[in-house]
Amino acid sequence: NKEEENHRESLMIVSAYAAKFFHESLLETDEGKNIGLSYFKERGFTNETIKKFELGYSPDQWEAFSDQAKKEGYLEEFLVESGLSVKRDNGTLYDRYRGRVMFPIHGFTGRVIAFGGRTLKTDKNVPKYVNSPESEIYHKSNVLYGLYFAKKAIREEENCYLVEGYADVLSVHQAGIENVVA
């Protein structure tokens, strides 16, 4: 049980690191500001909403995240299992979400358990969204996006609005209706 709990905690820790990496990339790099932040601003999201939901940007480079995470001591095993990195046939890693705006998915306790990454490219061969694969900490069918931020309002209102996607949750929440999930 202890080993299983340590494994789970390692996945949580690498997910938290990734959320911080993507959020800083959005706010502190030229590429993040010019591409990711301008997209979120065009969608009408305020700095407060961007910060609260820890929105981010994954650099449009093959190994930017994976290389930095390994340099900081995160194990390849957890980078791959969490879905943040993908292992090539030759054993090297590449970034799953490169060149995408990032929507961290928070568990019920507020910890980041997965990600949704949206491309801003118009290429029809590129999937619009890439989501984290199922893992020990993320089971898509058991998670409502935004529930961590909505649970207090849901209790108070005794009501919950279900919307289609990440941006819908952000827009409605930002407009003052906080009992909303996707």
Side-chain angles (χ1 to χ4, degrees):
N1 284 354
K2 186 71 175 158
E3 192 174 308
E4 190 176 300
E5 186 57 39
N6 288 342
H7 185 92
R8 230 180 115 65
E9 185 60 23
S10 294
L11 289 171
M12 296 292 248
I13 289 168
V14 79
S15 294
Y17 168 75
K20 183 177 185 288
F21 176 91
F22 296 138
H23 190 64
E24 288 175 356
S25 176
L26 176 77
L27 300 177
E28 298 173 10
T29 68
D30 289 341
E31 181 184 352
K33 290 178 199 171
N34 293 335
I35 299 170
L37 192 56
S38 64
Y39 167 77
F40 287 131
K41 292 294 188 179
E42 284 169 20
R43 294 295 306 259
F45 300 131
T46 63
N47 290 339
E48 182 182 88
T49 296
I50 290 166
K51 188 173 183 176
K52 181 175 189 173
F53 286 85
E54 300 177 83
L55 303 181
Y57 178 76
S58 180
D60 197 6
Q61 300 160 34
W62 281 94
E63 294 102 7
F65 168 77
S66 298
D67 286 352
Q68 187 62 36
K70 287 189 304 184
K71 193 186 308 179
E72 303 241 357
Y74 294 93
L75 300 179
E76 287 187 14
E77 166 191 1
F78 299 115
L79 295 172
V80 172
E81 189 176 337
S82 65
L84 292 159
S85 302
V86 179
K87 190 173 281 227
R88 294 182 179 103
D89 290 340
N90 69 5
T92 61
L93 301 184
Y94 67 91
D95 298 352
R96 178 181 302 273
Y97 300 107
R98 63 198 174 280
R100 292 174 180 273
V101 290
M102 300 299 294
F103 297 88
I105 299 169
H106 298 81
F108 194 72
T109 62
R111 295 181 77 184
V112 175
I113 57 171
F115 294 89
R118 184 193 194 286
T119 187
L120 303 178
K121 297 176 179 165
T122 54
D123 183 349
K124 296 290 181 213
N125 297 320
V126 175
K128 186 174 179 180
Y129 280 94
V130 171
N131 298 307
S132 292
E134 296 268 325
S135 73
E136 190 176 330
I137 62 171
Y138 177 62
H139 304 285
K140 187 175 181 177
S141 61
N142 297 343
V143 176
L144 292 168
Y145 178 75
L147 181 60
Y148 171 70
F149 300 103
K151 64 186 179 182
K152 181 175 180 264
I154 291 169
R155 261 189 246 110
E156 289 170 0
E157 301 287 330
E158 296 183 5
N159 182 31
C160 179
Y161 296 104
L162 180 65
V163 295
E164 185 181 2
Y166 309 125
D168 301 324
V169 168
L170 300 174
S171 296
V172 175
H173 190 92
Q174 185 173 282
I177 302 168
E178 296 185 3
N179 53 331
V180 59
V181 298

